[in-house]
Amino acid sequence: MFNLSNYEDVDTRIHKFYEMFEDGAIITELVSNDEEKGIVVFKASAYRTYVDANPSAVGYARGARKDRGVDAAFWLENCESSSIGRCLANLGLSAKGK
């Protein structure tokens, strides 16, 4: 069962990533964006050092525009953050790590 008190948000995990990998980089890419349908896909790649040829981890997220709530106005941004969160989880910085 999900326990919010054990959840570590994406922003916190981004800061942990850069503490662990001072020369690292997190790069996001808009893979697809269907404005008419309100569907977006982002890819995030994490590099432990900026000179790495290949990412150490990758994460994808699919987002959908909603009629209300935060995903009514910020659905693109939320999807991008989700892709970073998935990428960092794949690197071992899990959302359950708090």
Side-chain angles (χ1 to χ4, degrees), residues 75-89:
W75 57 291
L76 288 163
E77 294 86 345
N78 284 339
C79 184
E80 182 180 31
S81 293
S82 293
S83 71
I84 294 170
R86 295 183 57 78
C87 177
L88 293 178

Side-chain angles (χ1 to χ4, degrees), residues 6-59:
N6 291 328
Y7 178 75
E8 197 162 52
D9 63 24
V10 174
D11 183 62
T12 300
R13 289 185 283 143
I14 290 171
H15 288 281
K16 280 189 174 182
F17 172 83
Y18 285 114
E19 287 172 12
M20 293 172 67
F21 308 107
E22 292 179 8
D23 293 330
I26 300 169
I27 308 297
T28 60
E29 175 186 345
L30 180 60
V31 175
S32 69
N33 181 13
D34 187 331
E35 285 281 338
E36 189 174 313
K37 291 182 181 178
I39 303 291
V40 65
V41 176
F42 269 94
K43 173 185 177 183
S45 302
Y47 297 82
R48 294 178 185 179
T49 176
Y50 65 90
V51 296
D52 289 346
N54 297 305
S56 298
V58 173

